[in-house]
């Protein structure tokens, strides 16, 4: 599927013209990332829906948490593997590979996370996420106790549950409308570290947190080889990003 094709099976093209701030945001994505992630394009037929999606994504995946960005991406992949979501497995499998610097880990989580060399913390987290996905009605206090026994706080458990739930929702939407990932997700990537980050100043209104482009449904590859771009999904704001050292 080429980048110019319809990104879902529904005839819901983006607004034309887009609101000025949204268009500026999309232009920055294109300039810095070489594409506008299709998940954003799919939502752009209704700016309120786009804003609601990105706000929930930001809070779930980018807000302060006892879970690392990699751990949240690992949950996304395991949930998406159970649900066989093509879009999310493509985007978030790439995210795990990039954040971990380990392409094999990304493939293992896609196929069967139990074959990966995981810490006790990671294994308990992913077991819980899988159970949420397959049989959430069977979760009992002993399941939460297993998480506490490997160091997760009650707030961490809340975050694990919410990341798993977010991707169960996103998987079902993406599969139901046949949302297709950008072709760029499939391209070979260099695995280099450390790498520059794209810092967004607090005055930009997007938040001062730097984060890797690998984190998220719309985590595109970077235009600069070996680089992880940092950006926050807020389509109603436009910024001029700049590089900062890792």
């Amino acid at each position: 599927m080429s980048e110019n094709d319809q990104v879902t099976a529904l005839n819901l093209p983006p607004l034309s013209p887009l609101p000025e701030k949204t268009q500026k945001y999309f232009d920055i994505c294109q300039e810095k990332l070489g594409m506008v992630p299709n998940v954003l394009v799919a939502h752009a037929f209704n700016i309120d829906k786009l804003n609601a999606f990105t706000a929930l994504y930001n809070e779930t995946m980018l807000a302060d948490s006892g879970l690392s960005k990699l751990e949240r991406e690992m949950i996304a992949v395991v949930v998406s593997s159970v649900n066989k979501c093509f879009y999310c497995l493509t985007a978030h499998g790439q995210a795990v590979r990039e954040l971990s610097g380990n392409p094999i880990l990304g493939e293992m989580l896609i196929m069967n996370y139990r074959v990966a060399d995981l810490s006790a913390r990671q294994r308990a987290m992913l077991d819980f996420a899988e159970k949420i996905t397959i049989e959430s009605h069977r979760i009992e206090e002993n399941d939460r106790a297993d998480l506490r026994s490997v160091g997760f706080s009650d707030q961490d458990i809340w975050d694990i549950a919410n990341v798993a739930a977010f991707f169960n929702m996103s998987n079902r939407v993406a599969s139901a409308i046949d949302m297709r990932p950008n072709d760029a997700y499939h391209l070979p990537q260099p695995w280099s570290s450390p790498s520059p980050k794209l810092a967004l100043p607090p005055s930009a209104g997007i938040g001062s947190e730097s984060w890797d482009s690998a984190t998220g449904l719309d985590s595109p590859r970077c235009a600069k080889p070996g680089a992880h771009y940092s950006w926050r999904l807020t389509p109603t704001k436009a910024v001029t990003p700049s590089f900062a050292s890792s």
Side-chain angles (χ1 to χ4, degrees):
M1 180 177 184
S2 72
E3 299 286 85
N4 295 322
D5 289 339
Q6 192 169 316
V7 301
T8 77
L10 305 182
N11 185 23
L12 294 172
L15 293 177
S16 182
L18 288 167
E20 181 179 0
K21 291 181 179 179
T22 305
Q23 184 61 61
K24 287 181 179 178
Y25 177 75
F26 278 21
D27 290 344
I28 290 172
C29 290
Q30 187 64 49
E31 176 188 355
K32 299 299 181 182
L33 306 170
M35 66 177 181
V36 179
N38 282 348
V39 68
L40 299 183
V41 176
H43 282 82
F45 72 95
N46 183 305
I47 300 305
D48 288 340
K49 294 185 188 301
L50 176 61
N51 291 345
F53 171 81
T54 57
L56 182 56
Y57 174 85
N58 287 344
E59 181 60 32
T60 304
M61 297 298 284
L62 306 181
D64 290 341
S65 173
L67 307 181
S68 69
K69 293 180 178 67
L70 174 58
E71 287 173 331
R72 283 178 271 189
E73 290 295 338
M74 291 169 72
I75 293 170
V77 171
V78 168
V79 169
S80 300
S81 177
V82 173
N83 293 327
K84 297 180 173 60
C85 176
F86 175 48
Y87 188 104
C88 294
L89 282 174
T90 302
H92 294 283
Q94 187 274 338
V96 168
R97 293 191 295 271
E98 187 170 336
L99 281 174
S100 67
N102 181 357
I104 297 175
L105 175 62
E107 298 304 318
M108 286 178 167
L109 295 185
I110 287 173
M111 298 298 180
N112 178 6
Y113 72 92
R114 292 174 178 82
V115 304
D117 184 15
L118 302 173
S119 68
R121 170 188 168 96
Q122 292 168 336
R123 177 60 188 265
M125 176 186 74
L126 297 180
D127 284 344
F128 190 69
E130 183 191 51
K131 191 168 185 177
I132 291 171
T133 303
I134 296 174
E135 48 181 7
S136 60
H137 63 288
R138 295 187 181 277
I139 291 175
E140 299 178 346
E141 184 55 34
N142 65 291
D143 296 300
R144 292 180 286 272
D146 287 344
L147 292 173
R148 295 187 187 103
S149 72
V150 293
F152 287 111
S153 69
D154 279 16
Q155 184 169 332
D156 295 336
I157 296 170
W158 173 277
D159 289 345
I160 293 169
N162 276 269
V163 173
F166 177 85
F167 283 98
N168 272 293
M169 177 194 72
S170 297
N171 290 167
R172 284 159 172 76
V173 173
S175 295
I177 66 175
D178 193 21
M179 187 187 299
R180 295 304 179 100
N182 300 68
D183 292 346
Y185 285 119
H186 301 287
L187 300 177
Q189 291 298 302
W191 306 102
S192 61
S193 182
S195 60
K197 293 180 181 290
L198 192 64
L200 300 179
S203 60
I206 289 185
S208 58
E209 179 186 13
S210 292
W211 62 287
D212 293 315
S213 71
T215 57
L217 283 172
D218 38 16
S219 51
R221 283 154 176 78
C222 306
K224 182 175 180 180
H228 302 307
Y229 282 100
S230 302
W231 54 298
R232 179 177 276 268
L233 299 179
T234 308
T236 57
K237 306 282 186 176
V239 298
T240 301
S242 58
F243 278 108
S245 299
S246 295

